[in-house]
Amino acid sequence: VQLQASGGGLVQTGGSLRLSCQRSGFISDNYVIGWIRQAPGKERSRVSCISSSTGATYYADSVKGRFTISRDNAKNTVFLQMNSLTPEDTAIYYCVLGPICYSDPADFRSWGQGTQVTVSS
């Protein structure tokens, strides 16, 4: 399985970005795709996940109400719509895949390349 993340960029505080994660390769029907981020000098943290089968979602408290994760199974793509961005959202964002939405990012075995999100004040 390969994951291709895209959509990062530079925005001002209050702006929006939409990240995409396209999956290729064979996988069973039930899996979770998530987003992990790593800010400069900080540990990786879980941001959001979505189940491929049920559509159930998870959001970190820090992004609830601002970020929305969605999926297009026909296109094997997961999106992360990020609104009301703040400088604290500045990080490299990685899409990941696993059987569940692991709380510890290190437990995910499949990672895409990161995409940089920078929010200016």
Side-chain angles (χ1 to χ4, degrees), residues 7 15-19 66-68 80-85 93 117:
S16 298
L17 283 173
R18 189 175 81 155
L19 305 183
R66 301 188 299 121
F67 290 12
T68 303
L80 185 68
Q81 178 67 43
M82 306 186 297
N83 298 329
S84 302
L85 287 162
Y93 285 71
V117 171

Short mmCIF file of all heavy atoms in Angstrom, two decimals, residues 7 15-19 66-68 80-85 93 117:
data_model
loop_
_atom_site.label_atom_id
_atom_site.label_comp_id
_atom_site.label_asym_id
_atom_site.label_seq_id
_atom_site.Cartn_x
_atom_site.Cartn_y
_atom_site.Cartn_z
N GLY A 7 -1.49 18.93 -0.78
CA GLY A 7 -2.39 19.99 -0.40
C GLY A 7 -1.86 20.97 0.62
O GLY A 7 -2.54 21.95 0.95
N GLY A 15 -7.14 31.20 7.80
CA GLY A 15 -7.31 30.64 6.47
C GLY A 15 -7.64 29.16 6.50
O GLY A 15 -7.79 28.55 7.55
N SER A 16 -7.76 28.60 5.30
CA SER A 16 -8.15 27.20 5.14
C SER A 16 -7.23 26.50 4.15
O SER A 16 -6.67 27.13 3.25
CB SER A 16 -9.59 27.09 4.63
OG SER A 16 -10.51 27.66 5.53
N LEU A 17 -7.10 25.21 4.35
CA LEU A 17 -6.40 24.33 3.41
C LEU A 17 -7.13 23.00 3.39
O LEU A 17 -7.78 22.62 4.38
CB LEU A 17 -4.96 24.09 3.84
CG LEU A 17 -3.92 25.19 3.60
CD1 LEU A 17 -2.60 24.80 4.25
CD2 LEU A 17 -3.73 25.43 2.11
N ARG A 18 -7.01 22.31 2.28
CA ARG A 18 -7.54 20.96 2.21
C ARG A 18 -6.43 20.01 1.81
O ARG A 18 -5.84 20.14 0.73
CB ARG A 18 -8.70 20.85 1.20
CG ARG A 18 -9.39 19.50 1.28
CD ARG A 18 -10.60 19.39 0.40
NE ARG A 18 -10.26 19.10 -0.98
CZ ARG A 18 -11.09 18.50 -1.84
NH1 ARG A 18 -12.29 18.13 -1.44
NH2 ARG A 18 -10.72 18.30 -3.09
N LEU A 19 -6.17 19.06 2.68
CA LEU A 19 -5.17 18.04 2.40
C LEU A 19 -5.86 16.83 1.78
O LEU A 19 -7.01 16.52 2.09
CB LEU A 19 -4.46 17.61 3.69
CG LEU A 19 -3.80 18.72 4.50
CD1 LEU A 19 -3.07 18.11 5.70
CD2 LEU A 19 -2.86 19.55 3.66
N ARG A 66 -12.96 22.58 13.76
CA ARG A 66 -12.23 23.32 12.73
C ARG A 66 -11.83 22.43 11.55
O ARG A 66 -11.80 22.89 10.41
CB ARG A 66 -10.97 23.96 13.32
CG ARG A 66 -11.22 24.91 14.46
CD ARG A 66 -9.96 25.64 14.87
NE ARG A 66 -8.92 24.73 15.34
CZ ARG A 66 -7.70 24.63 14.79
NH1 ARG A 66 -7.37 25.38 13.76
NH2 ARG A 66 -6.81 23.78 15.30
N PHE A 67 -11.51 21.19 11.84
CA PHE A 67 -11.07 20.25 10.80
C PHE A 67 -12.19 19.26 10.53
O PHE A 67 -12.92 18.85 11.44
CB PHE A 67 -9.83 19.48 11.26
CG PHE A 67 -8.57 20.29 11.35
CD1 PHE A 67 -8.57 21.68 11.28
CD2 PHE A 67 -7.34 19.66 11.50
CE1 PHE A 67 -7.41 22.42 11.38
CE2 PHE A 67 -6.17 20.37 11.59
CZ PHE A 67 -6.21 21.75 11.53
N THR A 68 -12.28 18.83 9.29
CA THR A 68 -13.25 17.81 8.89
C THR A 68 -12.56 16.80 8.00
O THR A 68 -11.96 17.17 6.98
CB THR A 68 -14.44 18.42 8.14
OG1 THR A 68 -15.07 19.42 8.95
CG2 THR A 68 -15.46 17.34 7.79
N LEU A 80 -8.72 16.10 4.32
CA LEU A 80 -8.76 16.78 5.61
C LEU A 80 -8.96 18.27 5.33
O LEU A 80 -8.03 18.94 4.89
CB LEU A 80 -7.47 16.56 6.41
CG LEU A 80 -7.50 17.14 7.83
CD1 LEU A 80 -8.51 16.36 8.69
CD2 LEU A 80 -6.11 17.08 8.47
N GLN A 81 -10.17 18.73 5.55
CA GLN A 81 -10.47 20.14 5.39
C GLN A 81 -10.12 20.86 6.67
O GLN A 81 -10.65 20.52 7.74
CB GLN A 81 -11.96 20.33 5.06
CG GLN A 81 -12.39 21.79 4.92
CD GLN A 81 -11.78 22.45 3.71
OE1 GLN A 81 -11.73 21.87 2.64
NE2 GLN A 81 -11.30 23.69 3.88
N MET A 82 -9.24 21.83 6.56
CA MET A 82 -8.75 22.54 7.74
C MET A 82 -9.16 24.00 7.64
O MET A 82 -8.73 24.71 6.72
CB MET A 82 -7.23 22.41 7.84
CG MET A 82 -6.73 20.97 7.81
SD MET A 82 -4.95 20.83 8.10
CE MET A 82 -4.31 21.71 6.69
N ASN A 83 -10.01 24.41 8.57
CA ASN A 83 -10.49 25.80 8.60
C ASN A 83 -10.00 26.49 9.87
O ASN A 83 -9.56 25.85 10.82
CB ASN A 83 -12.02 25.82 8.55
CG ASN A 83 -12.57 25.21 7.29
OD1 ASN A 83 -11.96 25.28 6.22
ND2 ASN A 83 -13.74 24.60 7.40
N SER A 84 -10.11 27.80 9.86
CA SER A 84 -9.73 28.61 11.03
C SER A 84 -8.33 28.25 11.53
O SER A 84 -8.11 28.05 12.73
CB SER A 84 -10.76 28.44 12.16
OG SER A 84 -12.05 28.80 11.72
N LEU A 85 -7.42 28.16 10.61
CA LEU A 85 -6.06 27.74 10.96
C LEU A 85 -5.35 28.79 11.80
O LEU A 85 -5.57 30.00 11.64
CB LEU A 85 -5.26 27.46 9.69
CG LEU A 85 -5.66 26.17 8.96
CD1 LEU A 85 -5.15 26.17 7.52
CD2 LEU A 85 -5.13 24.96 9.71
N TYR A 93 2.29 17.38 7.95
CA TYR A 93 1.15 16.49 8.08
C TYR A 93 1.40 15.22 7.27
O TYR A 93 1.73 15.29 6.08
CB TYR A 93 -0.12 17.19 7.61
CG TYR A 93 -0.64 18.21 8.58
CD1 TYR A 93 0.03 19.41 8.78
CD2 TYR A 93 -1.80 17.99 9.32
CE1 TYR A 93 -0.42 20.36 9.68
CE2 TYR A 93 -2.27 18.93 10.22
CZ TYR A 93 -1.57 20.11 10.40
OH TYR A 93 -2.03 21.04 11.30
N VAL A 117 2.42 22.26 6.22
CA VAL A 117 1.40 23.28 6.42
C VAL A 117 2.02 24.38 7.28
O VAL A 117 2.51 24.09 8.38
CB VAL A 117 0.15 22.70 7.11
CG1 VAL A 117 -0.81 23.82 7.51
CG2 VAL A 117 -0.54 21.70 6.20
#
